[in-house]
Amino acid sequence: MSILGKYTLRSLLKNKTRTFATVLGIVLSVAMFTAVTEAIASMRSYLIKGIEYELGGFHALSQGVDVEQLKSLEQRENITQVETLGIVGYADIGSQNAYKPYLYITSMSPNLTSLVSVHLSSGRLPANSGEIILPLHLSSNGSVEYKLGDSFSVDIGRRVNGGDVLDQNDAYETDEKLETEITKTYTVVGFYSRFDTMIEPYSAPGYTGITAGESTQTYDAFYKLKNAADTYDFINENISEYKNTKANTELLMLYGISRHATAMRVFFGMGAILVALIMFGSVALIYNSFSISVSERTRQFGILKSVGATGKQLRRTVYYEALYLCIVAVPLGIAAGCIGIWLTFYFLSGAFTSLGDIFGVGSGITLSLAISPAALAIAALIGVVTTFISAFIPAVRAVRVPALQAVTRANDISVKKVRIRMSPVIRRLFGFEGLVAAKNFKRNRRRYRAATFSLFVSVVLFISASSFCKYLTDSANTYDGTLDYDLSYIVYDDQNTQNTRAVYDALSSAQSITDSILYTRCNGLNYFTEWKYVSDRALSILYNGNPQSADDMGDLDRITPAFYFIDDDLYKRLAEENGIEIDINDPGAIVYDNYTMYQPNDDGDLVMYKLEYLNKQQIMSTNTLSVYEMQQIDGHSFYTVKNGMAYYIPDVRGNNEQLPVTEDDMLKIDIHQAFEKTDLKISGFLKENPYYVFDELAFIYPESAGGELMESGVSYMLFLSDDHSKSYDSMTRILDDMNADKAGLYDYAAQYERDRHLITIINVFAYGFIILISLIAMTNVFNTVSMNIFMRRRELAMFKSVGMTKKGFYKMMNYECIICGIRGLAIGIPAAVAVTFLIYGVITNGYITEFYIPWYSIAISVFSVFAVVFGAMIYSMSRLRRENTMDVLRNENN
Amino acid sequence: MEILRIENLTKIYGSGDNEVRALDGVSFSVDKGEFISIIGPSGSGKSTLLHMIGGVDRPTSGKIYMDGQDIYAQNEDQLAIFRRRHVGLIYQFYNLIPILNVVENMCLPVLLDGRHVNNDYLNDLLDTLNLRGREKHLPNQLSGGQQQRVSIGRALMNTPAVVLADEPTGNLDSKNSQEIVELLKLSNKKYNQTLVVITHDENIALQADRVISIEDGKITRDSRIRGY
Ligand SMILES: Nc1ncnc2c1ncn2[C@@H]1O[C@H](COP(=O)(O)OP(=O)(O)OP(=O)(O)O)[C@@H](O)[C@H]1O
Ligand SMILES: [Mg+2]
């Protein structure tokens, strides 16, 4: 080992505290890098496994190849494996689906399932040409029922139309013919889940049945290339020979092979942002360590220089240092990162499993740590790069140390004269020692700059990381934690109230349902109302506190309530629970008032307000709300109200080019003639909305009071269940039986569970991130503060030798710590708030939520800044006290 | 034979009111093998002159030639290499690297130059410097005199043409001082090295071949004591 290598190693070993802190810093950073790259790698391998499970691991599929072509495929050098579905032919099997009348019989090659997934739901794979497995949708979609062990005979042939032979990619044509050639008998040995649409397109006219051991003339060939990246090139080069070739795009996308911008890129992009954030924190930390290490050895660098070390040699000592630290820290960091991610996945495995269908990955596949050499190498590389970036500036500084400074101790002599102003209170508190500290602070600004800087970085990192996570979880957190119902069924197209009832009754009796309600909601109607019925707050937002300024509508304003019609008993109960008196013969509306209003602000941006729109006192004094409804005028649509006149646009049917219509073409009517006044009876107001009422301005009526209006509404059914998935299955069956639309059925509980799991996952990652970033920040501050003190051991020893007491030292140090902490916070907090604001802008883009100052994180950071600063100070002072005063003074003479 | 020529050397520290003329038009020349002592009151510019000759600081104006080469025509790295090959500097404060042991400190210039240590010469030096048995000791395990001897060893290790010593005995008692001077003289004779010593000690000054007095940055006297 060269003398400088030896020198570096020894100085690392000598300064164990600093070396430990630096190693810890690198370990933390590398662990975080590893966590990011490994999380991405594991996610990728999870998705790959998912696709291999759903579809298969083949790279490309060529359909309709003949025997010659198949041979040529098998002989190609860059193709490693070919499996086939030999095409036996089509058979009419009496399917009820007019567009899918056939069984499409294929014969699998023995190892097909190693490239293409066939999910048997029962039975086994076919072993010979007398056995067949059938897809499940043959029964569910085609209503052809076979059981395991059944045998059937079919006539098999080709589909032809005109002179053309048709295949699975040609949808059923009404004038096509099936030319049968042979008759075969099959025994059903299994059922499997329908193939992916890549293999059997939606429009394919035949259900794919799979037999084995049949020799055929044409094949669907599935194959794997030696190098997956060549797939698209291969397809393009051979397009003339293999016309019907498709790539397994989803799989290849995950291998990073794609001709399009992909989701994976977004994934990597997010990883890159995280890595950049971590790198920023790490560079700040590791840079500080090196910077300290260099300034601590300023004199030594000077001596080395004066005995003839060149700039290159001095730089190299710093890089040696980086190298040694990396050799120790990078493997540790990688191990720590892997363990961390493994633990995270382990504890979150439940949550991830339920998220399977979000990622399109079937159950049975779990997200687990996939050790990817590439991911580890990238993490290690980023770690090493981070370390060397951090070492770069200190290395340059080391070279700039003038030789003379070291040999003459010039910096001991050249102390500037400073004037210190201290308030009497502080002077009393900190005494002479405080004065010394204050002088020190003024004189050695540079020395404190590192500490202040690291405090600044830490505060900014901590606060902005927590805000980042807060906004992230906020935006994911769409539910407020409670779930009022488990399943819902919405009847969008409600022509037949009778039928709705029947569906409701049937669904209510589904498995595990414990409670249910049925109600109808009509969307906001376009009413107007008098100002006296509108709350002051709403008016002041609408008219900037000055309603007189707008006279277009007279004293009328728009009001758009939603109408709810609920079961009469439920209505009575609701009134009772809220102390509202009702007369069931003239029930009136029970109102829930939480109106959402969008109003442009001064910059013209829409701002969302949630408020009570109605003037409760006014309305409840007479139990009446007068609303005005625009008259319908034949051949015209209401447009707007201006200067007391209602404007109607003439309907222009079928010719949009005539729009926009000028004001002259519009029909103008005095508003008092245009409006029709109705007095609505209002029975009372609710403080909280029942779970079946949305957060809006809602007028709730009993069903018996619903007339014409109710018929235009949408019916909602809400269900409570003991076991939502059981209920869901049972309800699907019921709807099937009733021939009702299944699109309106929604399993909220499942959604809720998924959301909760998603939030758990985001939270775990967010808090993990915050904790690690805080650790980095804390290490950084601890490191700088303690090193700052160690570097002054000579000065402190001198004070000690002239009789400064322990108490005096602490007074001096306390003063310095407080000043340092205050400085760091004073610049860190505003910067952090600014960064938070930026993050708010990026993350909540589009949402209208309010920006808030992260007081909570600020409080934590203020507390921890002082805790860490004082902790570091006390630690290093106690270390110093153990050293012999004279030793210190003498050593520094070397 | 001339080895060193100093021409009109001026060094000004600071500027304006704070301006200090540490050296003011100093010129002289030194022959190979000469032993010169420099004396003068505190603050007269002795150390400044020595640092200029040793190539650790740059003059404001004027030139220094060693073996006919203008040393300040070189860049920083060339100057560093020049130092480790041709100059041995000894400071009043020993300026050893605290984490390197005696042998390592001594061999530093040779090792930095990427050369192999001549073990015979090293042993020879250790004997002469009376540092036997101390090879593996760190500087803070040594006395002041021992540390100074290590720094002399370091200066002599690469057998430089010129040895420059700035009050090498400033911190030592007279017995130790004399030992150190004997050492330097020995090396001066043995290797025909040029030796420049700054000292306040008249005894030491008078042992030189030539004494140069400096006052206020100017040479006030340059007297040859012995024929040469
Ligand atoms: N880095 C510096 N900045 C400013 N002035 C300096 C610097 N180094 C030396 N001086 C000034 O230059 C003058 C000469 O200093 P120098 O160190 O050469 O004196 P010296 O003769 O070695 O004194 P001593 O015998 O006390 O060591 C002094 O006045 C000193 O104050
Ligand atoms: Mg001096």
Side-chain angles (χ1 to χ4, degrees), chain A residues 358-372:
Chain A
I358 288 186
F359 301 115
V361 174
S363 52
I365 295 180
T366 49
L367 179 59
S368 58
L369 178 67
I371 299 283
S372 144

Side-chain angles (χ1 to χ4, degrees), chain A residues 604-839:
Chain A
D605 297 329
L606 280 186
V607 178
M608 187 185 87
Y609 300 93
K610 276 244 162 216
L611 51 98
E612 284 186 4
Y613 191 78
L614 295 175
N615 185 338
K616 213 163 29 181
Q617 278 76 28
Q618 175 64 39
I619 292 169
M620 289 317 289
S621 65
T622 56
N623 277 30
T624 308
L625 168 70
S626 301
V627 294
Y628 297 81
E629 207 174 345
M630 193 58 63
Q631 275 187 43
Q632 305 287 327
I633 294 184
D634 272 349
H636 290 78
S637 320
F638 172 69
Y639 174 59
T640 187
V641 178
K642 221 173 177 181
N643 296 326
M645 303 294 278
Y647 285 61
Y648 286 83
I649 303 180
D651 289 343
V652 213
R653 290 229 163 81
N655 194 350
N656 287 327
E657 275 165 31
Q658 284 182 21
L659 289 171
V661 188
T662 63
E663 265 183 33
D664 293 342
D665 300 331
M666 292 187 200
L667 189 65
K668 286 157 270 197
I669 303 176
D670 187 277
I671 48 167
H672 293 288
Q673 283 165 17
F675 283 128
E676 221 172 312
K677 181 178 172 189
T678 321
D679 283 337
L680 297 178
K681 180 178 175 189
I682 306 291
S683 301
F685 281 83
L686 295 176
K687 284 199 188 62
E688 268 172 36
N689 54 330
Y691 64 88
Y692 46 86
V693 171
F694 292 137
D695 219 9
E696 60 187 348
L697 177 57
F699 288 12
I700 304 160
Y701 289 96
E703 242 169 24
S704 56
E708 230 175 278
L709 195 55
M710 192 172 143
E711 252 142 61
S712 71
V714 174
S715 297
Y716 288 77
M717 301 172 199
L718 307 179
F719 303 93
L720 280 174
S721 159
D722 283 341
D723 181 339
H724 63 90
S725 31
K726 236 188 227 158
S727 301
Y728 184 82
D729 286 345
S730 149
M731 285 172 154
T732 342
R733 260 176 279 125
I734 290 169
L735 290 172
D736 268 343
D737 287 347
M738 300 184 79
N739 240 335
D741 185 18
K742 280 182 290 189
L745 183 62
Y746 201 74
D747 188 345
Y748 272 102
Q751 170 68 34
Y752 177 75
E753 249 164 46
R754 272 200 298 272
D755 284 357
R756 249 194 21 234
H757 284 143
L758 191 64
I759 290 166
T760 312
I761 290 171
I762 290 177
N763 275 334
V764 166
F765 278 101
Y767 283 108
F769 181 63
I770 293 176
I771 288 171
L772 285 173
I773 280 280
S774 316
L775 271 180
I776 286 194
M778 265 150 70
T779 319
N780 193 0
V781 173
F782 190 90
N783 198 8
T784 20
V785 171
S786 64
M787 282 315 128
N788 190 350
I789 292 173
F790 281 130
M791 273 165 67
R792 288 161 54 197
R793 57 155 77 79
R794 185 159 174 267
E795 176 192 325
L796 296 177
M798 227 126 77
F799 278 124
K800 199 171 168 187
S801 72
V802 298
M804 192 182 266
T805 60
K806 186 179 153 191
K807 210 174 134 199
F809 271 123
Y810 278 109
K811 253 191 207 167
M812 186 162 103
M813 285 297 140
N814 286 345
Y815 181 83
E816 287 188 19
C817 287
I818 289 170
I819 296 275
C820 231
I822 288 176
R823 285 199 171 205
L825 289 170
I827 50 172
I829 291 176
V833 171
V835 174
T836 302
F837 189 74
L838 285 180
I839 291 172

Side-chain angles (χ1 to χ4, degrees), chain B residues 42-43 45-48 51 92 166-167 198 200:
Chain B
S42 181
K46 305 182 294 293
S47 299
T48 309
H51 294 147
Q92 178 178 355
D166 190 348
E167 297 185 42
I198 295 177
H200 284 295

Side-chain angles (χ1 to χ4, degrees), chain A residues 3 6-7 10-11 14 299-300 303-311 313 404 406-408 890-891 894, chain B residues 51 56-57 77 80-81 83-84 91 95-101 104 108-109 111-112 139-140 142 147 154:
Chain A
I3 183 74
K6 230 189 261 177
Y7 162 73
R10 233 176 272 169
S11 59
K14 183 140 185 290
R299 245 170 79 71
Q300 296 182 17
I303 297 168
L304 284 171
K305 222 175 177 185
S306 81
V307 298
T310 60
Q313 286 174 317
L404 197 65
V407 300
T408 61
R890 213 163 60 104
N891 281 356
N894 290 313
Chain B
H51 294 147
V56 289
D57 198 5
D77 278 350
I81 294 167
R83 277 198 296 273
R84 70 192 183 202
Y91 306 98
N95 283 331
L96 300 177
I97 303 276
I99 54 174
L100 296 182
N101 64 30
E104 286 162 345
L108 206 49
L111 292 172
L112 282 175
N140 64 358
L142 301 174
Q147 290 187 46
R154 180 176 68 191

Side-chain angles (χ1 to χ4, degrees), chain A residues 52-285:
Chain A
E52 282 176 352
Y53 175 83
E54 288 289 317
L55 189 54
F58 63 93
H59 293 162
L61 155 65
S62 292
Q63 288 178 310
V65 301
D66 61 28
V67 182
E68 288 304 310
Q69 287 170 321
L70 181 63
K71 271 229 177 74
S72 127
L73 266 185
E74 278 165 344
Q75 278 159 6
R76 277 177 203 250
E77 251 199 19
N78 53 348
I79 291 180
T80 51
Q81 190 186 355
V82 183
E83 296 298 337
T84 54
L85 276 176
I87 299 163
V88 181
Y90 287 96
D92 192 336
I93 196 167
S95 156
Q96 300 296 301
N97 185 336
Y99 295 96
K100 234 173 153 78
Y102 308 117
L103 180 66
Y104 174 66
I105 301 168
T106 59
S107 167
M108 60 180 270
S109 58
N111 288 319
L112 179 79
T113 49
S114 65
L115 282 192
V116 181
S117 38
V118 176
H119 298 295
L120 284 174
S121 63
S122 59
R124 56 171 173 81
L125 288 172
N128 56 53
S129 62
E131 296 180 345
I132 196 164
I133 58 173
L134 298 173
L136 290 170
H137 67 313
L138 179 61
S139 140
S140 65
N141 174 290
S143 305
V144 178
E145 306 287 350
Y146 282 110
K147 287 192 295 297
L148 275 184
D150 283 358
S151 284
F152 62 93
S153 276
V154 280
D155 297 329
I156 304 168
R158 312 184 295 172
R159 287 165 62 213
V160 285
N161 193 2
D164 297 333
V165 178
L166 307 176
D167 64 28
Q168 281 286 74
N169 288 316
D170 303 308
Y172 181 71
E173 292 165 19
T174 40
D175 46 353
E176 69 173 63
K177 300 238 152 39
L178 182 67
E179 290 181 352
T180 54
E181 289 145 358
I182 44 165
T183 307
K184 295 215 71 163
T185 303
Y186 292 108
T187 307
V188 180
V189 295
F191 289 96
Y192 73 102
S193 306
R194 175 187 187 151
F195 271 138
D196 186 89
T197 53
M198 184 178 169
I199 302 172
E200 186 189 306
Y202 278 122
S203 60
Y207 301 93
T208 313
I210 307 172
T211 173
E214 189 88 62
S215 60
T216 59
Q217 295 309 303
T218 39
Y219 297 90
D220 282 354
F222 301 85
Y223 45 94
K224 228 177 179 163
L225 279 80
K226 196 180 276 171
N227 187 354
D230 298 338
T231 310
Y232 289 111
D233 286 342
F234 177 84
I235 292 174
N236 287 335
E237 279 160 23
N238 296 288
I239 193 77
S240 53
E241 200 180 346
Y242 304 101
K243 289 193 187 62
N244 260 323
T245 301
K246 301 179 225 173
N248 189 345
T249 29
E250 281 181 70
L251 181 71
L252 293 174
M253 194 167 85
L254 291 166
Y255 283 131
I257 307 153
S258 170
R259 294 164 301 179
H260 315 289
T262 67
M264 215 54 204
R265 226 162 277 171
V266 177
F267 228 43
F268 285 132
M270 266 179 66
I273 290 173
L274 278 181
V275 164
L277 255 176
I278 304 165
M279 243 176 127
F280 175 67
S282 317
V283 167
L285 162 64

